[in-house]
Coordinates of all heavy atoms in Angstrom, one line a residue:
M1 N 41.1 29.0 126.1 CA 40.9 29.9 127.2 C 40.0 31.0 126.8 O 40.0 31.5 125.7 CB 42.3 30.6 127.4 CG 42.4 31.7 128.4 SD 44.0 32.3 128.6 CE 43.7 34.0 128.8
L2 N 39.2 31.4 127.7 CA 38.2 32.5 127.5 C 38.5 33.6 128.4 O 38.8 33.5 129.5 CB 36.8 32.0 127.9 CG 36.0 31.1 126.9 CD1 34.6 30.9 127.4 CD2 35.9 31.7 125.5
I3 N 38.4 34.8 127.8 CA 38.3 36.0 128.6 C 36.9 36.4 128.8 O 36.1 36.5 127.8 CB 39.1 37.2 127.9 CG1 40.6 36.8 127.7 CG2 39.0 38.5 128.7 CD1 41.3 37.8 126.9
R4 N 36.5 36.7 130.0 CA 35.1 37.1 130.2 C 35.1 38.3 131.0 O 35.8 38.4 132.0 CB 34.3 36.0 130.9 CG 33.7 35.0 130.0 CD 33.0 33.9 130.8 NE 34.0 32.9 131.1 CZ 33.6 31.6 131.5 NH1 32.4 31.3 131.7 NH2 34.6 30.7 131.8
D5 N 34.2 39.2 130.7 CA 34.1 40.5 131.5 C 32.8 41.1 131.2 O 32.0 40.6 130.4 CB 35.2 41.4 131.1 CG 35.6 42.4 132.2 OD1 34.9 42.4 133.2 OD2 36.5 43.2 132.0
K6 N 32.5 42.2 131.8 CA 31.4 43.0 131.5 C 31.8 44.4 131.0 O 32.9 44.8 131.3 CB 30.6 43.2 132.8 CG 29.9 42.0 133.3 CD 29.2 42.2 134.7 CE 28.6 40.9 135.2 NZ 28.2 41.0 136.6
H7 N 30.9 44.9 130.2 CA 31.2 46.3 129.7 C 29.9 47.1 129.6 O 28.9 46.6 129.3 CB 31.8 46.1 128.2 CG 32.1 47.4 127.6 ND1 33.3 48.1 128.0 CD2 31.5 48.2 126.7 CE1 33.3 49.2 127.3 NE2 32.3 49.3 126.5
E8 N 30.1 48.3 130.0 CA 28.9 49.2 129.9 C 28.8 49.8 128.5 O 29.7 50.4 128.0 CB 29.1 50.4 130.9 CG 27.8 51.2 131.1 CD 28.0 52.3 132.1 OE1 28.1 52.1 133.3 OE2 28.0 53.5 131.6
C9 N 27.7 49.5 127.9 CA 27.5 50.0 126.5 C 27.5 51.5 126.4 O 27.0 52.2 127.2 CB 26.1 49.5 126.1 SG 25.7 50.0 124.4
E10 N 28.3 52.0 125.4 CA 28.4 53.4 125.3 C 27.2 54.1 124.7 O 27.0 55.3 124.8 CB 29.6 53.7 124.4 CG 29.4 53.2 122.9 CD 30.7 53.2 122.1 OE1 31.8 53.4 122.7 OE2 30.6 53.1 120.9
K11 N 26.2 53.3 124.2 CA 25.0 53.8 123.7 C 23.9 53.8 124.7 O 23.3 54.8 125.0 CB 24.6 53.1 122.4 CG 23.6 53.8 121.6 CD 23.3 53.0 120.3 CE 22.1 53.7 119.6 NZ 21.7 52.8 118.4
C12 N 23.5 52.6 125.1 CA 22.4 52.5 126.0 C 22.8 52.5 127.5 O 21.9 52.5 128.4 CB 21.6 51.2 125.7 SG 22.4 49.7 126.2
E13 N 24.1 52.5 127.8 CA 24.6 52.6 129.1 C 24.2 51.5 130.0 O 24.2 51.6 131.3 CB 24.3 54.0 129.7 CG 25.0 55.1 129.0 CD 24.7 56.5 129.5 OE1 23.8 56.6 130.4 OE2 25.4 57.4 129.1
K14 N 23.8 50.4 129.4 CA 23.6 49.2 130.2 C 24.8 48.3 130.2 O 25.5 48.2 129.2 CB 22.3 48.4 129.7 CG 21.0 49.1 130.0 CD 19.9 48.4 129.4 CE 18.6 49.2 129.6 NZ 17.7 49.3 128.4
E15 N 25.0 47.5 131.2 CA 26.1 46.6 131.3 C 25.7 45.3 130.6 O 24.6 44.8 130.8 CB 26.4 46.3 132.8 CG 27.9 45.9 133.0 CD 28.2 45.9 134.4 OE1 27.5 45.2 135.2 OE2 29.2 46.6 134.8
F16 N 26.6 44.8 129.8 CA 26.4 43.5 129.2 C 27.6 42.6 129.3 O 28.7 43.2 129.5 CB 26.0 43.6 127.7 CG 27.1 44.1 126.8 CD1 27.9 43.3 126.1 CD2 27.2 45.5 126.6 CE1 28.9 43.8 125.3 CE2 28.2 46.0 125.8 CZ 29.1 45.1 125.1
E17 N 27.4 41.3 129.3 CA 28.6 40.4 129.4 C 29.1 40.0 128.1 O 28.3 39.8 127.1 CB 28.1 39.2 130.2 CG 27.8 39.5 131.7 CD 27.5 38.2 132.4 OE1 28.4 37.5 132.8 OE2 26.3 38.0 132.6
W18 N 30.4 39.9 128.0 CA 31.0 39.5 126.7 C 32.1 38.5 127.0 O 32.5 38.3 128.1 CB 31.5 40.7 125.9 CG 32.6 41.4 126.7 CD1 32.4 42.4 127.6 CD2 34.0 41.2 126.7 NE1 33.6 42.8 128.1 CE2 34.6 42.1 127.6 CE3 34.8 40.3 126.0 CZ2 36.0 42.1 127.8 CZ3 36.2 40.3 126.2 CH2 36.8 41.2 127.1
Y19 N 32.5 37.8 126.0 CA 33.6 36.9 126.1 C 34.4 36.9 124.8 O 33.9 37.3 123.8 CB 33.1 35.4 126.4 CG 32.4 34.8 125.3 CD1 33.1 34.0 124.3 CD2 31.0 34.9 125.1 CE1 32.4 33.4 123.3 CE2 30.4 34.3 124.0 CZ 31.1 33.5 123.1 OH 30.4 33.0 122.1
Y20 N 35.6 36.5 125.0 CA 36.5 36.4 123.8 C 37.3 35.1 123.9 O 37.9 34.8 125.0 CB 37.5 37.5 123.8 CG 38.5 37.4 122.6 CD1 38.1 37.7 121.3 CD2 39.8 37.1 122.9 CE1 39.0 37.5 120.3 CE2 40.7 36.9 121.8 CZ 40.3 37.2 120.5 OH 41.2 37.0 119.5
Q21 N 37.2 34.3 122.9 CA 37.9 33.0 122.9 C 39.3 33.3 122.4 O 39.5 33.6 121.2 CB 37.2 32.0 122.0 CG 37.9 30.6 122.2 CD 37.1 29.5 121.6 OE1 36.4 29.7 120.6 NE2 37.1 28.3 122.1
V22 N 40.3 33.1 123.3 CA 41.7 33.4 122.9 C 42.3 32.3 122.1 O 42.3 31.1 122.6 CB 42.6 33.6 124.2 CG1 44.0 34.1 123.9 CG2 41.9 34.7 125.1
P23 N 42.9 32.6 120.9 CA 43.5 31.5 120.2 C 44.9 31.2 120.7 O 45.6 32.0 121.3 CB 43.7 32.1 118.8 CG 43.5 33.6 118.9 CD 42.9 33.9 120.2
Q24 N 45.3 29.9 120.7 CA 46.6 29.5 121.2 C 47.6 29.8 120.1 O 47.4 29.6 118.9 CB 46.6 28.0 121.5 CG 46.2 27.8 123.0 CD 46.3 26.3 123.3 OE1 45.7 25.5 122.7 NE2 47.0 26.0 124.3
L25 N 48.8 30.2 120.5 CA 49.9 30.4 119.6 C 50.5 29.1 119.1 O 50.9 29.0 117.9 CB 51.0 31.2 120.3 CG 50.7 32.7 120.5 CD1 51.8 33.3 121.3 CD2 50.5 33.4 119.2
W26 N 50.6 28.1 119.9 CA 51.1 26.9 119.5 C 50.3 25.8 120.2 O 49.4 26.0 121.0 CB 52.6 26.7 119.9 CG 53.1 27.6 120.9 CD1 53.9 28.7 120.7 CD2 53.0 27.5 122.3 NE1 54.2 29.3 121.9 CE2 53.7 28.5 122.9 CE3 52.3 26.5 123.2 CZ2 53.8 28.7 124.3 CZ3 52.4 26.7 124.6 CH2 53.1 27.8 125.1
G27 N 50.6 24.5 119.7 CA 49.8 23.4 120.2 C 48.6 23.2 119.3 O 48.4 23.9 118.4
T28 N 47.9 22.2 119.6 CA 46.8 21.8 118.7 C 45.5 22.5 119.1 O 44.6 22.6 118.3 CB 46.5 20.3 118.8 OG1 46.4 19.9 120.2 CG2 47.6 19.5 118.2
G29 N 45.5 23.2 120.2 CA 44.3 24.0 120.6 C 43.0 23.1 120.6 O 42.0 23.6 120.2
L30 N 43.1 22.0 121.2 CA 42.0 21.1 121.3 C 41.1 21.3 122.5 O 40.2 20.6 122.8 CB 42.4 19.6 121.2 CG 42.8 19.1 119.8 CD1 43.3 17.7 119.9 CD2 41.7 19.3 118.8
T31 N 41.5 22.4 123.3 CA 40.7 22.6 124.5 C 39.3 23.1 124.1 O 39.1 24.1 123.3 CB 41.3 23.7 125.3 OG1 41.7 24.8 124.5 CG2 42.6 23.2 126.0
A32 N 38.3 22.4 124.5 CA 36.9 22.8 124.1 C 36.4 23.7 125.2 O 35.9 23.2 126.3 CB 36.1 21.6 124.0
D33 N 36.4 25.0 125.0 CA 35.9 25.9 125.9 C 34.3 25.9 125.8 O 33.8 25.8 124.7 CB 36.4 27.3 125.7 CG 37.8 27.5 126.1 OD1 38.2 27.1 127.2 OD2 38.6 28.0 125.3
F34 N 33.7 26.1 126.9 CA 32.2 26.3 126.9 C 32.0 27.7 126.4 O 32.5 28.7 127.0 CB 31.7 26.0 128.3 CG 30.2 26.4 128.4 CD1 29.2 25.7 127.7 CD2 29.9 27.5 129.1 CE1 27.9 26.0 127.8 CE2 28.5 27.9 129.2 CZ 27.6 27.2 128.6
L35 N 31.2 27.8 125.4 CA 30.9 29.2 124.9 C 29.5 29.6 125.4 O 28.5 29.0 125.1 CB 30.9 29.2 123.3 CG 32.2 28.8 122.7 CD1 32.1 28.9 121.2 CD2 33.4 29.7 123.2
P36 N 29.5 30.7 126.2 CA 28.3 31.1 126.7 C 27.3 31.7 125.7 O 27.7 32.5 124.9 CB 28.7 32.3 127.7 CG 30.2 32.2 127.7 CD 30.7 31.5 126.5
Q37 N 26.1 31.1 125.6 CA 25.2 31.5 124.6 C 24.5 32.8 124.8 O 24.1 33.5 123.9 CB 24.1 30.4 124.5 CG 24.5 29.0 124.2 CD 25.0 28.8 122.8 OE1 24.3 29.3 121.9 NE2 26.1 28.2 122.6
D38 N 24.5 33.2 126.1 CA 23.7 34.4 126.4 C 24.6 35.7 126.4 O 24.2 36.7 126.8 CB 23.0 34.3 127.7 CG 24.0 33.9 128.8 OD1 25.1 33.4 128.5 OD2 23.6 34.2 130.0
K39 N 25.9 35.5 126.1 CA 26.8 36.6 126.2 C 27.3 37.0 124.8 O 27.1 36.2 123.8 CB 28.0 36.2 127.0 CG 27.6 35.9 128.5 CD 28.9 35.5 129.3 CE 28.5 35.3 130.7 NZ 27.5 34.3 130.9
S40 N 27.9 38.1 124.7 CA 28.3 38.7 123.4 C 29.7 38.1 123.0 O 30.6 38.2 123.9 CB 28.3 40.2 123.4 OG 28.7 40.7 122.2
A41 N 29.9 37.6 121.8 CA 31.2 37.1 121.4 C 32.0 38.3 120.8 O 31.6 39.0 119.9 CB 31.0 36.1 120.3
A42 N 33.1 38.6 121.5 CA 33.9 39.8 121.1 C 34.9 39.4 120.0 O 35.3 38.2 119.9 CB 34.7 40.3 122.3
S43 N 35.3 40.3 119.1 CA 36.3 40.1 118.2 C 37.5 41.0 118.5 O 37.3 42.1 118.9 CB 35.9 40.3 116.7 OG 34.6 40.7 116.6
A44 N 38.7 40.5 118.1 CA 39.9 41.2 118.4 C 40.1 42.4 117.5 O 39.8 42.3 116.3 CB 41.1 40.3 118.4
L45 N 40.6 43.5 118.0 CA 40.9 44.7 117.1 C 42.4 45.0 117.3 O 42.9 45.0 118.4 CB 40.2 45.9 117.6 CG 38.6 45.9 117.5 CD1 38.2 47.2 118.2 CD2 38.2 46.0 116.1
G46 N 43.0 45.3 116.2 CA 44.4 45.9 116.3 C 45.4 45.0 117.0 O 45.5 43.8 116.8
R47 N 46.2 45.6 117.9 CA 47.4 44.9 118.4 C 47.0 43.9 119.5 O 45.9 43.9 120.1 CB 48.3 46.0 119.1 CG 48.9 46.9 118.1 CD 50.0 47.7 118.7 NE 49.6 48.4 119.9 CZ 50.2 48.4 121.0 NH1 51.3 47.7 121.2 NH2 49.8 49.0 122.1
S48 N 47.9 42.9 119.7 CA 47.7 42.0 120.7 C 49.1 41.7 121.3 O 50.1 42.0 120.8 CB 47.1 40.7 120.1 OG 48.0 40.2 119.1
I49 N 49.0 41.1 122.5 CA 50.2 40.7 123.2 C 50.3 39.2 123.3 O 49.2 38.5 123.3 CB 50.3 41.3 124.6 CG1 49.1 41.0 125.4 CG2 50.5 42.8 124.5 CD1 49.3 41.3 126.9
E50 N 51.5 38.6 123.5 CA 51.6 37.2 123.7 C 51.9 37.0 125.2 O 52.7 37.6 125.8 CB 52.8 36.7 122.9 CG 52.5 36.7 121.4 CD 53.7 36.3 120.6 OE1 54.6 35.6 121.2 OE2 53.7 36.6 119.4
K51 N 51.1 36.1 125.8 CA 51.2 35.8 127.2 C 50.8 34.3 127.4 O 49.8 33.9 127.1 CB 50.2 36.7 127.9 CG 50.5 36.9 129.4 CD 49.6 38.0 129.9 CE 49.8 38.2 131.4 NZ 49.0 39.3 131.9
N52 N 51.7 33.7 128.1 CA 51.5 32.2 128.4 C 51.1 31.4 127.2 O 50.3 30.5 127.4 CB 50.5 32.1 129.6 CG 50.9 32.9 130.8 OD1 52.1 33.0 131.1 ND2 50.0 33.4 131.5
G53 N 51.6 31.7 126.1 CA 51.3 30.9 124.9 C 50.0 31.3 124.2 O 49.5 30.6 123.3
Y54 N 49.4 32.4 124.7 CA 48.2 32.8 124.1 C 48.4 34.2 123.5 O 49.2 35.0 123.9 CB 47.0 33.0 125.1 CG 46.6 31.7 125.7 CD1 47.1 31.1 126.9 CD2 45.6 30.9 125.0 CE1 46.6 29.9 127.4 CE2 45.1 29.7 125.5 CZ 45.7 29.2 126.7 OH 45.3 28.0 127.2
K55 N 47.6 34.4 122.4 CA 47.6 35.7 121.8 C 46.4 36.5 122.3 O 45.3 36.3 122.0 CB 47.5 35.6 120.3 CG 48.0 36.7 119.5 CD 48.0 36.4 118.0 CE 48.3 37.7 117.2 NZ 48.2 37.5 115.8
I56 N 46.7 37.5 123.1 CA 45.7 38.3 123.8 C 45.5 39.7 123.2 O 46.5 40.4 123.2 CB 46.0 38.3 125.3 CG1 46.0 36.9 125.9 CG2 45.0 39.2 126.1 CD1 46.7 36.8 127.2
P57 N 44.3 40.0 122.7 CA 44.2 41.3 122.1 C 44.1 42.4 123.2 O 43.7 42.2 124.3 CB 42.8 41.2 121.5 CG 42.1 40.1 122.2 CD 43.1 39.2 122.7
L58 N 44.6 43.6 122.8 CA 44.5 44.7 123.7 C 43.2 45.4 123.6 O 42.8 46.1 124.5 CB 45.7 45.7 123.4 CG 47.1 45.2 123.6 CD1 48.1 46.2 123.1 CD2 47.4 44.8 125.0
Q59 N 42.6 45.2 122.5 CA 41.3 45.9 122.2 C 40.3 44.9 121.5 O 40.8 44.1 120.7 CB 41.5 47.1 121.3 CG 41.2 48.4 121.8 CD 41.0 49.5 120.7 OE1 41.3 49.3 119.6 NE2 40.5 50.6 121.2
V60 N 39.1 45.0 121.9 CA 38.1 44.1 121.3 C 36.9 44.9 120.9 O 36.7 46.1 121.4 CB 37.7 42.9 122.2 CG1 38.8 42.0 122.4 CG2 37.1 43.5 123.5
S61 N 36.1 44.4 120.0 CA 34.8 44.9 119.8 C 33.7 43.9 120.1 O 33.9 42.7 119.8 CB 34.6 45.4 118.4 OG 34.6 44.3 117.5
A62 N 32.7 44.3 120.8 CA 31.6 43.4 121.2 C 30.3 44.1 121.0 O 30.1 45.3 121.3 CB 31.8 42.9 122.6
R63 N 29.3 43.3 120.6 CA 28.0 43.9 120.3 C 27.2 43.8 121.6 O 27.1 42.8 122.3 CB 27.3 43.0 119.3 CG 26.3 43.8 118.5 CD 25.8 43.0 117.2 NE 26.7 43.2 116.1 CZ 26.8 44.2 115.3 NH1 26.0 45.3 115.6 NH2 27.6 44.3 114.3
C64 N 26.6 44.9 122.0 CA 25.7 45.0 123.2 C 24.5 44.1 123.0 O 23.9 44.0 122.0 CB 25.2 46.5 123.3 SG 24.1 46.7 124.7
T65 N 24.3 43.3 124.0 CA 23.2 42.3 124.0 C 21.9 43.0 124.2 O 20.8 42.4 124.0 CB 23.4 41.2 125.0 OG1 23.6 41.8 126.3 CG2 24.6 40.4 124.7
K66 N 21.9 44.2 124.7 CA 20.6 44.9 124.9 C 20.1 45.7 123.7 O 19.0 45.7 123.4 CB 20.8 45.9 126.1 CG 21.4 45.2 127.4 CD 20.4 44.4 128.1 CE 20.9 44.0 129.5 NZ 22.1 43.3 129.6
C67 N 21.1 46.5 123.1 CA 20.6 47.4 122.0 C 21.3 47.1 120.7 O 21.1 47.8 119.7 CB 20.8 48.8 122.4 SG 22.6 49.4 122.3
D68 N 22.2 46.1 120.7 CA 22.9 45.7 119.5 C 24.0 46.7 119.0 O 24.5 46.6 117.8 CB 21.9 45.4 118.3 CG 22.3 44.3 117.5 OD1 23.0 43.3 118.0 OD2 22.1 44.3 116.3
H69 N 24.3 47.6 119.8 CA 25.4 48.6 119.4 C 26.7 48.0 119.5 O 27.0 47.2 120.5 CB 25.3 49.8 120.3 CG 26.3 50.9 120.0 ND1 26.3 51.7 118.9 CD2 27.5 51.2 120.7 CE1 27.4 52.5 118.9 NE2 28.1 52.2 120.0
L70 N 27.6 48.2 118.5 CA 28.9 47.6 118.5 C 29.9 48.5 119.3 O 30.1 49.7 118.9 CB 29.4 47.5 117.1 CG 30.6 46.6 116.9 CD1 30.4 45.2 117.3 CD2 31.1 46.6 115.4
N71 N 30.4 48.0 120.4 CA 31.3 48.8 121.3 C 32.7 48.3 121.0 O 33.0 47.2 121.0 CB 31.0 48.5 122.7 CG 29.7 49.1 123.2 OD1 29.7 50.1 123.8 ND2 28.6 48.4 122.9
N72 N 33.6 49.3 120.9 CA 35.1 49.0 120.9 C 35.7 49.5 122.2 O 35.4 50.6 122.6 CB 35.8 49.8 119.7 CG 35.2 49.4 118.4 OD1 34.7 48.3 118.2 ND2 35.4 50.2 117.4
F73 N 36.4 48.6 122.8 CA 37.0 49.0 124.1 C 38.3 48.2 124.4 O 38.5 47.2 123.8 CB 36.0 48.8 125.2 CG 35.4 47.4 125.3 CD1 35.9 46.4 126.0 CD2 34.2 47.2 124.5 CE1 35.3 45.2 126.1 CE2 33.6 45.9 124.5 CZ 34.2 44.9 125.3
D74 N 39.1 48.7 125.3 CA 40.3 48.0 125.7 C 40.0 46.9 126.7 O 39.1 47.0 127.5 CB 41.2 49.0 126.4 CG 41.7 50.1 125.5 OD1 41.7 49.9 124.3 OD2 42.1 51.2 126.0
I75 N 40.8 45.9 126.6 CA 40.7 44.8 127.6 C 41.5 45.2 128.8 O 42.6 45.6 128.7 CB 41.2 43.5 127.0 CG1 40.2 42.9 126.0 CG2 41.5 42.4 128.1 CD1 40.5 41.5 125.5
K76 N 40.9 45.0 130.0 CA 41.7 45.2 131.2 C 42.6 44.0 131.4 O 42.1 42.9 131.6 CB 40.7 45.4 132.4 CG 39.8 46.5 132.3 CD 38.8 46.6 133.5 CE 37.4 47.0 133.1 NZ 36.5 45.9 133.3
Q77 N 43.9 44.3 131.4 CA 44.8 43.2 131.4 C 44.8 42.5 132.8 O 45.4 41.4 132.8 CB 46.2 43.7 131.1 CG 46.3 44.2 129.7 CD 46.0 43.1 128.6 OE1 46.4 42.0 128.8 NE2 45.3 43.5 127.6
K78 N 44.3 43.0 133.8 CA 44.2 42.3 135.0 C 43.3 41.0 134.9 O 43.4 40.1 135.7 CB 43.7 43.2 136.2 CG 42.2 43.6 136.0 CD 41.6 44.2 137.2 CE 40.2 44.6 137.1 NZ 39.3 43.5 136.8
E79 N 42.4 41.0 133.9 CA 41.6 39.9 133.8 C 42.3 38.7 133.2 O 41.8 37.6 133.2 CB 40.4 40.2 132.8 CG 39.6 41.5 133.2 CD 38.8 41.3 134.4 OE1 38.5 40.2 134.8 OE2 38.5 42.3 135.1
V80 N 43.4 38.9 132.6 CA 44.1 37.9 131.8 C 45.0 37.1 132.6 O 45.8 37.6 133.4 CB 44.8 38.5 130.6 CG1 45.5 37.4 129.8 CG2 43.8 39.3 129.7
Ligands
ZN1 ZN1 23.6 48.9 124.4

C-alpha cells in the first residue's frame, strides 16, 4: 500500500509529490506496489498507528524534489 500526497516545501515553497510505502504488519507482503520514480520517497518518523493491518506513520520526512530540502511533516490521516 502506498500513501501519496503533495507537500509544500518549507524552504522553496514549491509543492512536490511524495509517497510512502506502508509496511504490512502481518502477511507475506508480496504486494508489488508501483513506485513512482519522479516522486520523493518519504521515511517514517516517530510514532505510527495500526490501521487495517498496516503500520501507518503519523509523521514522515521527505526530500523536496525541487531544492532537495528535507521536510518533516504530519501525514493527513484522511489520506489513509
Ligand atoms: Zn524545496
Side-chain angles (χ1 to χ4, degrees):
M1 174 181 145
L2 281 185
I3 299 173
R4 270 178 275 195
D5 204 357
K6 291 177 181 169
H7 182 73
E8 191 181 288
C9 176
E10 62 191 17
K11 191 176 176 192
C12 70
E13 297 181 347
K14 285 176 185 138
E15 205 172 56
F16 67 93
E17 290 184 81
W18 60 272
Y19 69 90
Y20 176 75
Q21 190 171 31
V22 184
Q24 271 184 303
L25 287 177
W26 21 258
T28 51
L30 286 177
T31 50
D33 288 311
F34 170 71
L35 300 181
Q37 300 288 316
D38 56 336
K39 297 176 176 59
S40 182
S43 359
L45 293 173
R47 294 190 308 129
S48 57
I49 55 165
E50 293 177 16
K51 198 169 179 180
N52 302 326
Y54 291 96
K55 197 174 175 185
I56 297 163
L58 297 174
Q59 242 197 351
V60 293
S61 68
R63 208 168 277 284
C64 174
T65 54
K66 310 284 196 301
C67 75
D68 215 35
H69 178 74
L70 196 61
N71 288 262
N72 297 340
F73 52 93
D74 294 335
I75 287 189
K76 297 180 218 112
Q77 294 298 321
K78 67 169 179 64
E79 309 290 338
V80 178

